[in-house]
Structures are given as structure tokens and as C-alpha cells.
Amino acid sequence: QVQLVESGGGLVQAGGSLTLSCAVVGGFSDINTMTWYRQVPGNQRELVATITRGGTTTYTDSVKDRFTISRDNAEYTVYLQMHSLKPEDTAVYYCAADVVRAGTRGDYWGQGIQVTVSS
């Protein structure tokens, strides 16, 4: 069974920083693309940042130059460093991974972690 375990959320003042982590645990053979999403109640889930296995990254425009996605392939972990946080970054953040398991690929999701930025 594959699980994504997120950590690092919390409450921070505007202008502050947080780093989210997401570790993939369980039985699998490889991980392809890893992604961070966020969702505000009542809104659609928004893609924040993506990183391929080779390290190519993409970001939504609102977080460019403030957030950095990275991964440790040996530890099967993806990170999201968030700087210059704004109140509008407040959301539940989810990680997702394209996981290779038993010869097939599937998308797996974390449980979500709250990030609150106070003004």
C-alpha cells in the first residue's frame, strides 16, 4: 500500500516562510512526477508546483519567485519551500505523486495539510 505523508504546515505571519514535506511510503518501485496542489474551501483545487523525476519544475504564476519545489529521489520525498507568504496563500496543501507499483502507474494523494498566513 502506498501512502503520502505530509508535514510542515502551520500558522505564519505574512512575509514569513514555511517548508512543506511529503514522503511517499509503502510498496512501490519508482515515482515519476510529484506535485503540490492547494485548495481553499469553496474553490477548485489549484496546481501550485510540479517536479519531474529529472528535476524539471513548473509553477503557477502566483507563486513564481516565492516558492521552490524540490525532491529527494533517494528518500522519495518532495518539498515545497514557501517564502514571502501572503494571506492569499492560505489553503490546504496537498501533495500528489505518479507512482509506479507492480508494473502499473497510479496517482496517489496526501491527506492535506493546513497553511494559514495571517496579515
Side-chain angles (χ1 to χ4, degrees):
Q1 186 173 354
V2 176
Q3 288 185 309
L4 275 62
V5 181
E6 298 154 341
S7 61
L11 173 65
V12 64
Q13 288 189 329
S17 300
L18 279 176
T19 296
L20 305 182
S21 301
C22 174
V24 184
V25 298
F28 57 90
S29 56
D30 204 0
I31 302 172
N32 295 313
T33 300
M34 305 181 82
T35 304
W36 284 100
Y37 293 84
R38 65 186 180 186
Q39 188 170 25
V40 175
N43 290 2
Q44 287 188 335
R45 192 166 293 186
E46 174 190 29
L47 189 151
V48 176
T50 296
I51 185 166
T52 67
R53 197 184 192 289
T56 300
T57 59
T58 58
Y59 298 90
T60 191
D61 286 346
S62 63
V63 308
K64 284 179 181 177
D65 300 324
R66 298 190 299 122
F67 290 11
T68 301
I69 189 171
S70 61
R71 63 189 286 170
D72 183 334
N73 288 332
E75 296 295 329
Y76 305 111
T77 300
V78 63
Y79 303 94
L80 186 68
Q81 297 178 65
M82 305 183 292
H83 301 291
S84 302
L85 282 161
K86 305 175 181 180
E88 51 263 44
D89 294 317
T90 295
V92 177
Y93 284 70
Y94 298 88
C95 66
D98 175 7
V99 179
V100 181
R101 181 171 181 259
T104 63
R105 293 171 61 175
D107 291 329
Y108 291 82
W109 290 80
Q111 76 283 2
I113 192 163
Q114 179 70 44
V115 172
T116 303
V117 184
S118 63
S119 58

